[in-house]
Structure formats: structure tokens, C-alpha cells
């Protein structure tokens, strides 16, 4: 057994003394280095105290958030719709005011400021809310949109208000006023609730406004951009001395809309004194060329908070200007639903183009005495599908709808986008209402009656559609089933880029028919609506240099009792029927599909048709139609429909 | 007579309590005072946010429970576990390298679904444990072979951590290992040689450093060269410390910190908040408290009964010192900026867990001494 050498043996006593020495050395080492730290502290805090105390007093470097310039919005021809203009604000920086103030102290200061610049109760409340949220060196905007006079008045007294300054910052301005407000929308000040739901609050640290409605809201994340940071040296009075370093903000994306403001103006003008809506779509892309909801309102007062009085005036206006008729308005489509019903009948095999029917003055369900009247008192005589669309025969479609049944109607119409949101890139879109058995049971707790189906057949009853849905469905007929998601933004310009890059159109699931020839059956009928002398819109297409496929519609607002006669002269205007009109043109090479609703306009052909014609003329011919004197002997326009 | 009896009875009760809790009361008291002070400073640094203080208070309680638990584990058992903990740590490090989650731009975090943690944190304890275990049944001062083996045991994890890249932690882990070797009795001449070698290797290290690491070193030499970039932290923190003066601006009255000039003021730069508000006298008190804890640790090490306990206690104490020194040195501008929190004061849970585990080990080493005549 080989014994290890003495060095290889463990020697506890020697190890302990060895460690002891090392521990003493370590302790000394520790004390020396801690002494160095103490020395460093003494050097900074005693020797250089004056130097650092001064620097801490006077030299303040702040990281200031720089809001990015919001992306601009143009119409399809480059006409500016939303821009940023410098506007003056009054900002308060609490840490620069001098001493720490309590709520009463702040109110006293606001009172003093109020002697030179008007400060409302709402301004006060917002100030206090922001004061609780922000760090003391972050400026709080007390007033937006100062007038030149206010700026001048405050400048004279600036010396008395350290930490209170007038600053110029870009503010949102809509140069066209209300012309496109129902699609562009507007921005407004960020509310506390919006602040809490922001995905990236850091990015909004310098921002005061956010998109509230329309494109401004839908594209908020693109339009806003990325916040920048500025390192600013500030003196004790809160004045910025110099910018030391800057990480510039990244501006928002500019948007090119599909709207044509010229077309928009033509449509609005053509509506005249009536309230109503016009939606025009490019069937090949889903581009919304015009989106009019009349009356409109000026979005500019909303940007910095509209006064309570002005807001109440808008809210209580009987014409409801804030209501977006084009996207949110739900109207009975009336007879404009007939081409779709006709397609449904063909596709479902319930009717054929050849099949005829004797159309008397009314329709009766089997085993029922209830009379469903035709608008034409004498009836249309023997009709087929073509003639029923051209003359807008009600009895034919009562019968067709009854034989199809509501379930199959629901299934077919939903393929055109009725009863659902199409997903337009703005806010406020309504899904309309495409009724079904389950819907009625759930909503009204009552079973579906065959009579309900009969009414749906002529676009009345429970069926409701938005002007956008009507325009989009019309575009679908024009494209023989091809569908696109309606869109307001067709191209974007990213920061730094010199040109707009177009966005690809978004296709929706197409409507495919068993026999594509059925498209032609319905389109031919729609062409004859404006082409044939007995078409319901003969006057609209009479002198047009291009072919128009169209359908008129009249939506009942006021229910007449059986046997009662509709007499426009005796009814209050608010109870007059809505006039509807859908059309696309040129019929064989569609460039535009239009839906027009003229509220309380009476008959679709005479009230809504000219609006659609004006829109199509402007788009296709590049000019508005000549105003014409109404002609005598033009029976169509005088026909009053039930 | 009676009085002295009662006194001795009381003494006995306390002793039993101590023995049951397995605590070293002077060390425990100092840790409690320091942690309590930490919460007070944190209240100010967070701008009066009680939620933050409460969160840290809960972490402190968890840490103290951990400390008490570890203190019950006899040092012999710690020794037995050491190689396994070390091996586990190595595996996790390699795993992080392979499939780590990208966190803070570097691969450091391991996501176990429930918790995310840094395996490098384990190594701060596992490396000294491993080396103490390795030397515990070998003759000391160590032979060349053992030194070489120990060097590899330190270099491998340190290298892996440096590759993450987390140079700061790599240096701390390396230091913890080197302290064991130092206490094991490596020759002074060799120490001198290694120091010389390290100095000579500095340019090589410089070559391998990332840009941001170089910038930190350059910034240290002249913070004013880049006042808004890398120098911003240092300048603002020096202003905070210096403007504190002798007596400080008073608790919650530090303008540098309250007005948001100090970056990371609840975490890595909390020492600047403390210095601004409590002044030079406060700093001296804090340094004294740290010195007491470190020296008490060395005292425990010197009185430990076996080699493992001695080496581990010595290394843990010096590591604690290094954390203090690196953080305060960085905040006061004599060391480059590395992400090391101020022990027991900075806001954060990871460092709390590591520190309390280490203190638990020190307590265990001190309280599990067998009653033997020395």
C-alpha cells in the first residue's frame, strides 16, 4: 500500500490558518474598495457639490415626445380632404410652474389665466384629469385653437405665468368641410376611455387626437405614425434652450381615397333639397367613387371639441345630419330588389324566362282573402319575368316569392351581401336586415307567415338594405357575379415615398349561377327599364349616349289601410315614400354602379333616377347633364305608385 | 443570583430559538434592515407608487422564506448536491444557447411556460458550490492539476454566458469561481501572474467586445462626449449623487429622480436616488451596512468547520461585495455601465432570489457547526 506524499495529504490545521490569512486579506481588500466608493461619494457630494447642485437646478434635460405628423387624405384626383395646419394651443407644464400646487391652487392659476384667455368648465375638467395622469414635466394642453387675438393678449402677460406657454402645433383641418365627412370622418381629442384601450400607449405619448369616425378611425394605426423623441435642455423657467438630440417621429401614411370629389359634388347637388344617400362604386375594383349622405355637417368643430350647444343643434336637427345614411341608413329596397328576386327564381328553378302569368290588380294567397295590391290599378296583364322587371309588376314577384319561400330567398340574397356588413374601410356600416324564420322568431317571438314572404318579394316587409349594399349588389349584377369588397382607400404613400402605391382590390366570394345566361336575362330587362317606352325609367335613359341598366324602387314609409289611396298632396312630406334607384352603365361595359335613395322623394324613376343619371354622366362623359325643363305629357313621372 | 438565573434562562430560550431557526442573528438583522431601507427608497424612486413597494415587499417575504428554508439544509448536504446543481446549470445554459427565447436582445431567458428565468443566475451560486466541492477533499493549497481543472469549471459556464452575450453576468460568475480558488490558497506569485495576464489580454478582449460594450467603456472615460446617448445615464446619475450634498435633499424630495431625469431609477440606478435624497451621510451609513454584512460573511467562513463550507462562505461573501461594488461603482461613474442591481435595494425578483439563497447557505453553514472542540 503506497502511502501518499505529505503534500498530497489533507492537513486541516494548515488549511484553516491558510484560509484565515486569505480571509484577512479579503477583508482588507473589501474595506479598501468600499473606501474608494466612499471617497468617490465624498468627491461628488462634498467637493463638487456646488457644481452638481447648480447643474441639477438649472440644467434640465428632458425627453420630450414629438407627435408624428398625421398622414394626409386625398380624393382619387389628389384633392386634399384632410390636412394638418398650424394651430395655437395653450400648454401648462406643472413642474415649471414653480411650486407644487394643490387642486385649489391650480384652480386659482386657471382663474388668473382665464382673465386673458377663455377657459371653459370642460377645459378645466380635462386639465385636472390629465394632471393626475401625466408626469409633472409633461405639458398639458389647456386650450386648443387659440385665436390670433388670444395669442397676442396672452403674450403680453406671459411673464406672469411661468410654465404656461402658447405653442404652435399642427391641427387637423378638413378643407372641404362636410363634403366627404361621412366617409373621411374626423379626429377628436383622445378620451380617457380611448387612452385605456390603446394597444401602444407609448406611441401616443405626444398625441392629443385620434380618429373618431370614418377613414380617420379605420386607418388610425396607419395615419398616426410613430412618436419621436427629443432631448431638450430646458432652463428653470421651462424654456427650451436647445435640442440636444432628436429621434425624429415617423409621419403617418398618406391615403388616396377612391372618392371623386367632383362626382361627390354632382351627386350632392342632384339630390337638391332632399335628404338621402348616393353610393357609386367601380364594379371592377369595389372602389367607392361617391358616398353621399345628405345633409352633411362640418367636421372641423369636432376636432377640438364641439360646444354643447352646437352639438345639441346637430343632434336635434330633424334632418339628422350626423346620421350616415349611405352606410348606416336601412331602407326597404322596394322594387329595386326585383332583379335579385328574378335571379333567385331562375337559379332556384322556380321560374323560367319564358314562363308567364296573368297579373291582375292584386294577388291573393291560397285560402286567404287578404289582397296584395299591384301598384298599377288595372294590373299588367300577361307578364313574363322580363316584362315584370321592366314594368315593375308586383303580382309576378308576390307569386315568385311565395313559391320560393323565405328560407331560399334568404340563402340567395345573402350571396349578394344583403343582411351582412360588406367590410368597407370606414365606420358605421350597418348589416341591414335580411329576414329569416329564425330571425323573426328570435326578434318578435312570432312565427313567419307566408304573407311576410309575399311582402319581401317586392322589397317591403322586414327586408332592409343600406345604400352601400344596394350599390354593391348592383355592381355584382354588372360584373355577372364577380364581387369586390367596397373600399374607400385605393392607394397609400408611406413616409419618405414619393408616389402612392395602389392597394390590390379585395375580391369577395362570387355569385355563381347554374346558367350564366340568366345574368343576361336580368340585365336585358334592366336595360329595357330605361330603353323601352313602357319601362319605369324610360325618361332617365331616353337621351343617354350610353346604355343604362337600371331598376326603380319606391319604399313605403307610411302604411296605407286596405282600399286607401296614396295621395302625395294630402300627406305630410315626412310620410312620403322613399324613392330608390339602382343602375349601372355602360350596360355592356360597366364602369359605374349607383344606388340612390331620395328620402320622401316619391317615385324612384322620377326622383332618384335623375340623380343616378347625373352621377353616371359625370363619371362616364365627364360632365353633368344639362338641366331640363319638365315636359308635359310625360306620363311616367306623374304616375303615383302605391 | 435570581436575576442571573432568569438571565441565563432567557438566554437559553433565545439560543434555542436561534438554534431552531438556524439563523445567524447579526447577519439576519443586517439583511432585514437593508431590505427594509430598500423598500423605503423604492417608495421614493417609484414616485410614491405603493403598488410597486407592495410587489417588492411580497418578493422580500418570499425571499426570506427561501432563506429560512435553505438555512435548515445542512452544509454537508449542500456539498453533496453541488455537482448535480452545477451539471443542471450547464445543461440549461446550453439549452438557452440552442433554443433560448430572445429577451432584451440577448438569449438569456428560458421559458418554462409558467416561469421565465435565466440559467446564468443559477451559475452565480452553482459555480462556487462546484469548486468548493471539488477542492473539499483535495489537499490545499491546490496542485497544478486541480487548479487547471478548477479553471475549466469556471471558464466553461462563464464562456457560455459571455456568448449570450451577457458580459456582466459572465464576469460575476467568473469572479465567484476565482474567489474559491483564491481562498483555496493559490500562490501569490500565480495571482500576480494572472493579473498581469488579464491586463495584457485587455486589448484582445476589447477586440471581441460588442459595439455597445465598447461604447460603455468609452463613455466611462468621458461621459460628456455623448451626453444624450450612452453618457446620459452617467451624467444624470452623477448630478443626482453630487447634488445630494452632505445631508441630501430629503426623502421623496430628490429632483433628479422625482422629475424623471434618472433612467432606471427603481432598478439599476436606485443608488443615485438614495444618494440624492440621503446625502453623503446616508451613503456612509449604507456602505457601513454593506461592510458589516460582507465582514460577517467572512467571519462565518473563517469559523466554518470544513473546507467546503469555508470556501463556499468566503466566495459568497466576496461575490456579494462585488455586486455592491460594481453597482455603486457604475452608478457613481467609476465603472462602466453593466446591468447589475444594487443588492437588496433595487426593484426586481431575480436578484432577490439569488441573494436570499446565498444568505440561507451562509446561515446554514454557521448554524450547523457541530459542537466540537476545535
Amino acid at each position: 500500500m503506497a502511502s501518499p506524499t505529505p503534500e498530497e495529504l489533507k492537513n486541516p490545521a494548515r488549511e484553516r490558518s491558510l484560509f484565515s490569512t486569505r480571509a484577512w486579506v479579503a477583508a482588507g481588500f473589501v474595506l479598501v474598495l468600499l473606501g474608494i466608493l466612499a471617497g468617490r461619494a465624498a468627491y461628488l457630494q462634498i467637493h463638487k457639490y456646488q457644481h452638481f447642485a447648480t447643474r441639477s437646478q438649472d440644467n434640465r434635460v428632458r425627453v420630450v415626445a414629438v407627435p408624428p405628423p398625421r398622414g394626409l387624405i386625398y380624393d382619387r384626383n389628389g384633392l386634399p380632404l384632410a390636412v394638418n395646419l398650424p394651430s395655437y394651443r395653450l400648454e401648462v407644464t406643472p413642474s415649471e410652474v414653480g411650486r407644487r400646487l394643490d387642486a385649489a391652487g391650480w384652480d386659482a392659476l386657471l382663474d388668473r389665466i382665464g382673465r386673458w384667455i377663455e377657459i371653459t368648465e370642460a377645459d378645466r375638467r380635462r386639465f385636472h384629469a390629465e394632471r393626475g395622469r401625466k408626469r409633472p414635466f409633461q405639458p398639458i394642453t389647456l386650450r386648443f385653437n387659440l385665436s390670433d387675438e388670444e395669442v397676442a393678449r396672452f403674450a403680453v402677460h406671459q411673464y406672469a405665468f411661468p410654465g404656461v406657454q402658447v405653442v404652435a402645433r399642427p391641427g387637423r383641418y378638413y378643407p372641404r368641410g362636410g363634403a366627404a365627412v361621412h366617409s373621411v370622418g374626423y379626429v377628436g381629442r383622445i378620451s380617457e376611455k380611448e387612452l385605456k384601450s390603446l394597444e401602444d400607449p407609448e406611441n401616443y405619448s405626444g398625441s392629443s387626437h385620434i380618429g373618431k369616425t370614418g377613414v380617420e378611425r379605420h386607418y388610425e394605426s396607419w395615419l398616426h405614425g410613430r412618436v419621436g423623441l427629443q432631448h431638450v435642455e430646458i432652463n428653470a423657467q421651462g424654456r427650451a434652450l436647445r435640442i440636444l438630440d432628436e429621434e425624429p417621429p415617423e409621419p403617418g401614411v398618406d391615403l388616396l381615397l377612391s372618392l371623386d370629389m367632383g362626382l361627390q359634388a354632382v351627386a350632392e347637388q342632384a339630390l337638391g333639397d332632399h335628404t338621402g344617400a348616393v353610393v357609386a362604386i367601380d364594379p371592377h375594383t369595389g372602389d367607392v367613387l361617391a358616398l353621399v349622405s345628405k345633409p352633411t355637417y362640418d367636421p372641423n368643430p369636432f376636432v377640438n371639441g364641439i360646444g354643447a350647444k352646437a352639438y345639441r343643434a346637430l343632434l336635434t336637427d330633424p334632418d339628422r345630419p350626423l346620421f350616415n345614411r349611405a352606410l348606416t341608413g336601412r331602407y326597404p329596397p322596394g322594387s329595386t330588389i326585383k332583379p335579385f328576386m328574378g335571379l333567385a327564381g331562375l337559379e332556384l328553378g322556380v321560374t323560367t324566362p319564358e314562363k308567364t302569368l296573368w297579373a291582375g290588380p292584386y294577388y291573393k294567397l291560397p285560402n286567404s282573402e287578404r289582397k296584395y295590391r299591384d301598384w298599377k290599378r288595372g294590373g299588367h296583364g300577361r307578364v313574363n319575368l322580363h316584362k315584370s322587371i321592366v314594368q315593375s309588376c308586383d303580382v309576378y314577384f308576390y307569386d315568385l316569392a311565395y313559391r320560393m319561400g323565405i328560407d331560399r330567398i334568404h340563402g340567395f340574397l345573402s350571396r349578394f351581401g344583403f343582411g351582412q356588413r360588406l367590410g368597407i374601410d370606414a365606420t358605421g356600416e350597418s348589416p341591414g336586415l335580411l329576414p329569416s324564420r329564425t330571425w323573426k322568431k328570435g326578434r318578435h317571438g312570432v312565427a313567419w307567415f307566408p304573407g311576410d314572404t309575399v311582402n319581401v318579394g317586392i322589397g317591403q316587409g322586414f327586408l332592409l338594405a343600406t345604400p352601400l349594399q344596394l350599390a354593391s349588389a348592383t355592381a355584382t349584377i354588372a360584373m355577372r357575379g364577380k364581387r369586390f369588397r367596397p373600399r374607400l382607400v385605393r392607394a397609400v404613400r408611406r413616409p419618405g415615398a414619393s408616389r402612392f402605391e395602389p392597394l390590390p382590390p379585395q375580391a369577395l366570394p362570387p355569385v355563381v349561377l347554374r346558367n350564366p345566361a340568366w345574368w343576361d336575362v336580368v340585365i336585358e330587362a334592366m336595360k329595357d327599364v330605361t330603353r323601352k317606352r313602357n319601362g319605369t325609367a324610360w325618361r332617365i335613359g331616353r337621351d343617354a349616349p350610353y346604355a343604362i341598366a337600371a331598376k326603380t324602387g319606391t319604399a313605403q314609409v307610411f302604411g296605407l289601410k286596405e282600399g286607401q289611396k296614396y295621395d302625395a298632396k294630402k300627406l305630410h312630406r315626412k310620410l312620403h315614400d322613399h324613392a330608390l334607384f339602382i343602375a349601372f352603365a355602360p350596360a355592356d361595359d360597366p364602369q359605374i354602379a349607383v344606388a340612390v335613395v331620395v328620402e320622401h322623394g316619391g317615385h324612384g324613376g322620377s326622383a332618384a333616377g335623375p340623380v343616378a343619371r347625373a352621377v353616371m354622366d359625370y363619371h362616364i362623359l365627364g360632365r353633368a347633364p344639362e338641366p331640363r325643363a319638365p315636359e308635359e305629357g310625360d306620363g311616367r313621372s306623374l304616375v303615383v305608385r302605391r | 443570583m435570581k436575576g442571573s438565573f432568569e438571565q441565563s434562562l432567557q438566554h437559553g430560550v433565545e439560543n434555542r430559538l436561534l438554534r431552531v431557526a438556524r439563523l445567524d442573528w447579526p447577519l439576519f438583522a443586517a439583511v432585514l434592515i437593508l431590505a427594509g431601507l430598500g423598500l423605503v427608497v423604492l417608495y421614493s424612486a417609484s414616485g410614491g407608487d405603493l403598488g410597486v413597494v407592495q410587489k417588492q415587499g411580497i418578493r422580500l417575504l418570499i425571499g426570506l422564506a427561501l432563506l429560512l428554508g435553505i438555512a435548515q439544509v445542512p452544509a454537508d448536504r449542500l456539498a453533496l448536491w453541488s455537482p448535480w446543481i452545477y451539471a443542471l446549470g450547464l445543461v440549461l445554459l446550453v439549452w438557452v444557447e440552442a433554443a433560448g427565447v430572445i429577451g432584451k436582445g440577448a438569449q438569456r431567458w428560458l421559458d418554462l411556460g409558467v416561469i421565465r428565468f435565466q440559467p446564468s443566475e443559477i451559475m452565480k451560486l452553482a459555480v462556487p458550490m462546484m469548486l468548493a466541492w471539488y477542492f473539499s477533499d483535495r489537499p490545499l493549497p491546490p496542485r497544478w492539476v486541480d487548479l487547471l481543472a478548477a479553471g475549466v469549471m469556471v471558464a466553461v459556464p462563464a464562456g457560455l454566458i459571455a456568448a449570450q452575450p451577457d458580459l456582466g453576468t459572465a464576469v460575476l460568475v467568473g469572479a465567484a469561481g476565482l474567489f474559491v480558488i483564491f481562498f483555496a490558497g493559490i500562490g501569490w506569485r500565480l495571482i500576480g501572474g494572472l493579473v498581469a495576464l488579464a491586463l495584457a489580454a485587455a486589448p484582445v478582449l476589447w477586440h471581441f467586445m460588442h459595439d455597445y460594450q465598447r461604447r460603455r467603456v468609452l463613455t466611462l472615460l468621458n461621459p460628456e462626449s455623448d451626453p444624450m446617448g450612452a453618457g446620459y445615464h452617467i451624467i444624470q446619475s452623477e448630478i443626482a449623487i453630487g447634488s445630494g450634498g452632505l445631508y441630501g435633499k430629503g426623502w421623496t424630495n430628490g429632483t433628479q429622480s422625482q422629475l424623471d431625469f434618472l433612467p432606471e431609477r427603481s432598478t439599476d440606478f436606485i443608488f443615485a436616488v438614495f444618494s440624492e435624497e440621503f446625502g453623503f451621510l446616508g451613503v456612509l451609513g449604507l456602505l457601513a451596512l454593506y461592510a458589516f454584512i460582507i465582514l460577517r460573511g467572512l467571519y462565518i467562513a473563517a469559523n466554518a468547520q470544513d473546507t467546503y463550507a469555508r470556501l463556499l462562505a468566503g466566495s459568497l461573501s466576496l461575490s456579494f461585495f462585488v455586486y455592491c461594488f460594481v453597482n455603486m461603482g457604475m452608478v457613481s461613474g467609476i465603472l462602466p455601465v453593466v446591468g447589475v442591481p444594487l443588492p437588496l435595494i433595487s426593484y426586481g425578483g431575480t436578484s432577490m432570489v439569488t441573494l436570499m439563497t446565498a444568505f440561507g447557505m451562509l446561515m446554514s453553514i454557521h448554524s450547523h457547526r457541530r459542537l466540537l472542540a476545535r
Side-chain angles (χ1 to χ4, degrees), chain B residues 330-345:
Chain B
M330 145 188 116
V331 173
S332 60
I334 55 176
L335 289 178
V337 174
V338 282
V340 177
L342 185 61
L344 298 176
I345 308 267

Side-chain angles (χ1 to χ4, degrees), chain A residues 181-352:
Chain A
V181 68
H182 290 293
S183 35
V184 171
Y186 54 81
V187 299
R189 286 193 299 240
I190 306 177
S191 71
E192 296 287 318
K193 205 174 133 201
E194 284 164 330
L195 203 68
K196 283 195 188 101
S197 60
L198 285 176
E199 267 178 39
D200 182 8
E202 197 68 26
N203 197 23
Y204 280 80
S205 48
S207 309
S208 53
H209 288 68
I210 193 167
K212 298 275 183 183
T213 63
V215 166
E216 289 270 32
R217 161 100 170 261
H218 192 270
Y219 289 94
E220 171 63 28
S221 59
W222 291 10
L223 288 165
H224 181 268
R226 280 226 63 90
V227 68
L229 294 176
Q230 228 174 33
H231 297 274
V232 185
E233 197 175 322
I234 304 170
N235 72 2
Q237 278 72 49
R239 294 257 165 75
L241 295 180
R242 63 197 171 110
I243 295 166
L244 296 169
D245 188 34
E246 190 173 22
E247 183 189 309
E250 186 182 297
V253 171
D254 294 338
L255 304 180
L256 193 72
L257 298 194
S258 54
L259 288 185
D260 176 343
M261 288 316 285
L263 194 67
Q264 186 91 358
V266 166
E268 203 180 317
Q269 207 175 10
L271 276 173
D273 294 336
H274 286 285
T275 60
V278 179
V279 178
I281 289 181
D282 178 344
H284 292 274
T285 55
D287 277 8
V288 176
L289 302 167
L291 188 137
V292 172
S293 171
K294 206 173 176 186
T296 69
Y297 59 97
D298 185 4
N300 286 307
F302 283 85
V303 173
N304 288 313
I306 186 165
K309 209 184 206 174
Y311 188 55
R312 197 162 325 115
L314 280 176
L315 274 183
T316 53
D317 185 326
D319 285 338
R320 299 168 69 201
L322 296 179
F323 182 56
N324 191 339
R325 290 167 165 80
L327 301 182
T328 316
R330 307 193 306 168
Y331 301 91
S335 301
T336 59
I337 205 69
K338 286 174 182 169
F340 304 96
M341 286 291 171
L343 281 172
L346 294 170
E347 172 73 3
L348 297 171
V350 176
T351 190
T352 63

Side-chain angles (χ1 to χ4, degrees), chain A residues 89-108:
Chain A
R89 305 173 174 193
L90 192 66
E91 288 187 350
V92 181
T93 313
S95 65
E96 307 297 347
V97 167
R99 60 217 144 81
R100 288 193 178 192
L101 296 173
D102 55 4
W106 281 114
D107 275 324

Side-chain angles (χ1 to χ4, degrees), chain A residues 11 35 38 117 125 158 172 185 187 202 213 244 275 299 303 393 410 461 471 493 545 557 566 577 599 640:
Chain A
N11 181 341
I117 290 182
R125 270 199 308 277
Q158 165 81 67
R172 200 63 153 177
V187 299
E202 197 68 26
T213 63
L244 296 169
T275 60
V303 173
C393 170
H410 183 277
R493 184 166 60 196
V557 175
Y566 178 90
D577 291 344
E599 288 184 348
V640 173

Side-chain angles (χ1 to χ4, degrees), chain A residues 10 15 22 40 61 135, chain B residues 138 182 186 261 307 332:
Chain A
K10 279 195 78 80
E15 274 185 26
R22 293 282 157 122
R40 176 67 178 174
V61 180
R135 296 196 73 92
Chain B
R138 285 179 167 74
F182 167 76
I186 181 175
F261 287 112
T307 312
S332 60

Side-chain angles (χ1 to χ4, degrees), chain A residues 28 32 47 70 117 146 157 172 294 419 453 511 528 608 620:
Chain A
V32 166
H47 182 69
R70 196 173 174 84
I117 290 182
L146 298 178
H157 300 279
R172 200 63 153 177
K294 206 173 176 186
T453 313
V511 179
D528 281 349
I620 296 168

Side-chain angles (χ1 to χ4, degrees), chain A residues 7-12 14-16 18-23 25-31 33-46 48-50 52-57 59-63 95 100 135-137 231-232 244-245, chain B residues 135-141 143 182-186 188 191 224 228 232 235-236 238-239 241-246 249 255-256 258-261 265 275 279-280 283-284 287 291 294-295 298 301-302 307 310-311 318 321 325 328-329 332-334:
Chain A
E7 286 99 317
E8 285 171 333
L9 273 176
K10 279 195 78 80
N11 181 341
R14 192 173 152 222
E15 274 185 26
R16 191 174 300 124
L18 177 73
F19 186 89
S20 216
T21 320
R22 293 282 157 122
V25 171
F29 176 70
V30 165
L31 289 178
L33 287 185
L34 287 181
I36 289 179
L37 282 181
R40 176 67 178 174
Y43 170 77
L44 294 175
Q45 299 189 296
I46 296 171
K48 300 269 274 183
Y49 170 69
Q50 278 309 327
F52 285 119
T54 317
R55 281 192 74 171
S56 132
Q57 276 291 306
N59 242 354
R60 304 187 168 186
V61 180
R62 293 257 147 91
V63 181
S95 65
R100 288 193 178 192
R135 296 196 73 92
F137 66 86
H231 297 274
V232 185
L244 296 169
D245 188 34
Chain B
F135 283 126
S136 62
D137 57 356
R138 285 179 167 74
L140 296 179
R143 296 165 302 182
F182 167 76
F183 283 120
I186 181 175
W188 287 112
I191 294 177
E224 307 285 344
M228 278 348 288
Y232 181 75
I235 292 175
Q236 292 306 324
E238 281 186 6
I239 292 175
I241 297 173
S243 63
L246 186 57
K249 296 176 184 170
T255 53
Q256 281 290 111
Q258 301 303 326
L259 295 183
D260 226 5
F261 287 112
R265 59 192 186 289
S275 309
F280 181 62
V283 172
L284 283 187
L287 288 176
I294 296 157
L295 296 182
L298 289 175
T307 312
R310 230 172 357 240
L311 293 182
L318 278 196
F321 160 71
F325 184 74
M328 291 189 279
S332 60
I334 55 176

